[in-house]
Amino acid sequence: MTALKNMLKMPVAAALLAGTALAAQPAVAAGLTVARSVDADGLDIHKVSTTQSMQVTNLLFDTLLTMDRSGGIHPGLASGYTLSEDGKTYVFTIRDGLKCHDGSAFDAAAVKFNIDRALDPATVSPNASSWGPIDSVAVEGSTVTVTMKSPYGPFTAFLAGMQSGLMCPSSVAGAEFTPIGTGPFKLVSWTRNDRIELAANPDYVNFSPLIENPGKPHLDTLTIMVVPEAVARMAALRSGEVDMVEPSLEEAADLKDDDAFKVYAADLSGQQVFAAFTWKIAPLDNPNVRKAIGMAMNRDAYATIGFEGLVDVANCPVAPNLFATDEEKCASWGVSYDPEAAKALLAEAGYGPDKPLKVKLLVHKLQGWDQMHQIMQQDLAAIGVEAEIETREVAAFFDYMGTVNGKAEGEPAVWTMGMSGADPDYLYFLWKQPGFTNMGLSDTMDAELEAQRALSGDARAAKVQEIQQYLLENAYAVPLVSPGWGWLMASTAKVDGFKMGHMVTLLFNDVTVTE
């Protein structure tokens, strides 16, 4: 998608806030206080996996590459890179003069230190596999050469994501760990389950295209508090005790029409909500039956009613604003809301008023999703599909779906889930056999998914789109909305310049606060 199309398709909340960073900046307050529901579980980027942790590490550690709104890759700590013709060898040129929070230099050797440590089995990094099939890492002067055992197209997107933040080697001293990076903020103190105190990095130089401020953050200090109770967080926001909070969906809906507050939706989160099928079980093994069910789903209602207008309708199996995602093409390949056409397809399959199709609607409980599922049940009833909702807690739900999706006989089911990432390679995770919760399709699809990993640039984009076209035309999945999780933020109207980046990063570099 072009940048213009991305702006035109921004979620409601993001659209309301578009342009604030271009306005004349007011006087700056010394600090900002943010209240979140949970604390980070750690600040060692090679050992954490939760979004709440990486939202903090992303403020401390920069990345080798960066990503724009459309998923395009840009320089970061590396001023550039080259890729060999066989797609296996990357040579990164590391910028001169990079300085760590403690004054030490960040150089090519520091990059190798991070990769080696992330891949070391002793580190037990939950993100080790995301680095790809790395065979060797070599340093010569200001360059780092990374050689892969096989081509790995998602590598550059990973290097632009918060999972690949690079720490300074001085962070590690024997068994002791102190998070030291080159990022816009440095750690002052961390009182677990209470607050993280950060101070602006006076030497910071920005390379991210999502940020306008070229240097030190406007804020001098940033405090991230833990306030588990939603009611207490909102009371603190309304009283002015804190400047920004994580609101619930219902609270965000109340605040977005109040001029005293601003609501921010994670439109670059890479998050996608979709409906899927137990496609091995008749009659859902028939693509036309799957299409009929997809045609019954009023995605506009899910977005505007279920998610309070804080999300957009999605058309692709991959979330908007990621590499090779084209919402217009996906809309032409997939089904659209058409109950009458859905009834006709079901009639061809032998279902109608005298013989309704009975399915389970298997779901897990999340805010926004609950109301979406109620509307979905009514949508299916309108075309003659009797859907019985079964709700499970998240962990139990995915265990259960792994069993259900592995069966070729039994009661057919429609189910919903979400996926997120910084690159469309999560299609590989979902659909390559056996696939996530046994969703894997076929040997042919496996080959296509492997092929997109071995390509780069336009060739990879074309292959990714072929895969999405196949999934949509055969209705293996029906994209619903994006984002779709509870990743929302709200602030007082005095806060300007806050953004949420890819994978729900919190970007405070441009933030100013008026009195």
Side-chain angles (χ1 to χ4, degrees):
M1 294 175 71
T2 64
L4 176 59
K5 288 178 181 176
N6 285 329
M7 292 185 69
L8 292 174
K9 293 177 178 290
M10 291 168 69
V12 173
L16 291 172
L17 296 169
T20 55
L22 300 179
Q25 292 182 340
V28 179
L32 188 82
T33 301
V34 181
R36 302 194 304 170
S37 59
V38 300
D39 199 3
D41 62 349
L43 296 179
D44 184 338
I45 187 60
H46 300 148
K47 296 185 177 182
V48 299
S49 60
T50 66
T51 297
Q52 290 85 353
S53 296
M54 288 187 284
Q55 284 177 331
V56 181
T57 59
N58 185 67
L59 302 173
L60 303 172
F61 309 133
D62 280 327
T63 51
L64 206 57
L65 302 174
T66 59
M67 187 177 290
D68 63 24
R69 281 196 61 86
S70 302
I73 302 299
H74 295 261
L77 294 176
S79 60
Y81 73 94
T82 61
L83 176 61
S84 61
E85 288 188 9
D86 65 2
K88 294 182 181 181
T89 302
Y90 295 81
V91 179
F92 299 93
T93 301
I94 309 306
R95 298 178 189 272
D96 293 329
L98 296 172
K99 188 182 293 186
C100 298
H101 297 153
D102 62 355
S104 59
F106 186 95
D107 54 16
V111 176
K112 176 174 168 55
F113 163 83
N114 276 269
I115 300 174
D116 288 347
R117 186 170 183 265
L119 298 181
D120 186 344
T123 303
V124 195
S125 173
N127 299 315
S129 64
S130 298
W131 287 88
I134 292 177
D135 187 38
S136 64
V137 183
V139 171
E140 183 176 351
S142 62
T143 65
V144 179
T145 299
V146 179
T147 303
M148 299 285 183
K149 297 174 184 176
S150 58
Y152 183 56
F155 189 48
T156 54
F158 171 74
L159 293 180
M162 63 182 181
Q163 293 171 304
S164 67
L166 300 177
M167 66 176 66
C168 295
S170 53
S171 300
V172 181
E176 298 296 318
F177 176 81
T178 303
I180 300 169
T182 62
F185 292 90
K186 54 186 178 181
L187 181 68
V188 175
S189 65
W190 181 17
T191 305
R192 285 185 178 269
N193 297 314
D194 180 25
R195 67 189 60 210
I196 297 173
E197 299 279 359
L198 305 174
N201 176 4
D203 300 313
Y204 188 66
V205 178
N206 171 62
F207 306 115
S208 170
L210 299 179
I211 294 167
E212 297 187 6
N213 179 6
K216 171 189 174 293
H218 300 305
L219 297 168
D220 292 325
T221 63
L222 175 62
T223 301
I224 302 175
M225 297 176 57
V226 179
V227 182
E229 300 80 12
V231 173
R233 288 198 304 274
M234 293 307 300
L237 180 68
R238 291 185 181 278
S239 69
E241 180 183 351
V242 302
D243 305 291
M244 181 176 289
V245 301
E246 287 179 342
S248 69
L249 181 65
E250 293 77 10
E251 290 161 344
D254 290 339
L255 293 176
K256 70 184 176 73
D257 296 322
D258 188 332
D259 291 339
F261 301 97
K262 295 179 180 179
V263 173
Y264 310 83
D267 62 317
L268 297 180
S269 67
Q271 296 168 333
Q272 184 79 313
V273 178
F274 59 89
F277 308 90
T278 54
W279 61 268
K280 302 179 184 74
I281 299 175
L284 298 180
D285 58 343
N286 180 343
N288 283 339
V289 174
R290 299 195 296 267
K291 288 179 182 179
I293 290 174
M295 289 176 179
M297 294 181 179
N298 187 348
R299 294 175 296 167
D300 286 324
Y302 308 159
T304 57
I305 299 173
F307 289 93
E308 304 286 357
L310 291 167
V311 304
D312 276 348
V313 167
N315 296 317
C316 294
V318 170
N321 302 308
L322 295 188
F323 174 77
T325 301
D326 190 319
E327 291 288 312
E328 292 182 2
K329 284 184 178 179
C330 289
S332 69
W333 297 329
V335 297
S336 57
Y337 181 56
D338 192 339
E340 294 307 313
K343 292 177 184 178
L345 285 178
L346 285 179
E348 291 177 7
Y351 296 95
D354 297 329
K355 186 185 177 183
L357 171 59
K358 296 182 180 181
V359 300
K360 293 284 189 180
L361 181 53
L362 303 178
V363 303
H364 59 287
K365 188 174 181 61
L366 281 173
Q367 59 178 349
W369 296 53
D370 297 343
Q371 191 165 8
M372 176 182 73
H373 294 141
Q374 293 172 7
I375 301 171
M376 188 180 295
Q377 184 183 43
Q378 296 168 8
D379 289 341
L380 296 179
I383 66 165
V385 176
E386 297 179 3
E388 179 186 353
I389 296 178
E390 284 188 6
T391 304
R392 289 174 173 79
E393 293 302 320
V394 175
F397 173 77
F398 288 112
D399 286 343
Y400 181 70
M401 288 313 308
T403 299
V404 172
N405 284 331
K407 296 179 178 179
E409 295 180 348
E411 190 170 16
V414 180
W415 59 291
T416 61
M417 68 161 287
M419 181 51 59
S420 65
D423 185 88
D425 189 55
Y426 61 66
L427 293 170
Y428 185 98
F429 172 74
L430 291 173
W431 300 104
K432 183 180 181 298
Q433 297 177 103
F436 180 63
T437 68
N438 283 315
M439 292 170 62
L441 293 180
S442 65
D443 292 345
T444 300
M445 177 54 70
D446 287 356
E448 293 292 283
L449 291 166
E450 292 285 2
Q452 64 85 23
R453 281 192 157 190
L455 299 170
S456 60
D458 291 343
R460 181 171 181 242
K463 181 60 66 176
V464 169
Q465 289 186 3
E466 286 178 19
I467 293 168
Q468 294 188 80
Q469 181 176 1
Y470 179 83
L471 292 171
L472 292 169
E473 289 183 344
N474 290 278
Y476 283 109
V478 179
L480 300 174
V481 300
S482 179
W485 275 256
W487 297 116
L488 299 164
M489 297 297 288
S491 74
T492 67
K494 296 178 180 180
V495 176
D496 267 333
F498 173 74
K499 304 179 183 75
M500 297 178 76
H502 290 283
M503 293 184 72
V504 207
T505 51
L506 306 179
L507 305 179
F508 294 99
N509 305 54
D510 294 330
V511 170
T512 59
V513 185
T514 56
E515 293 295 338

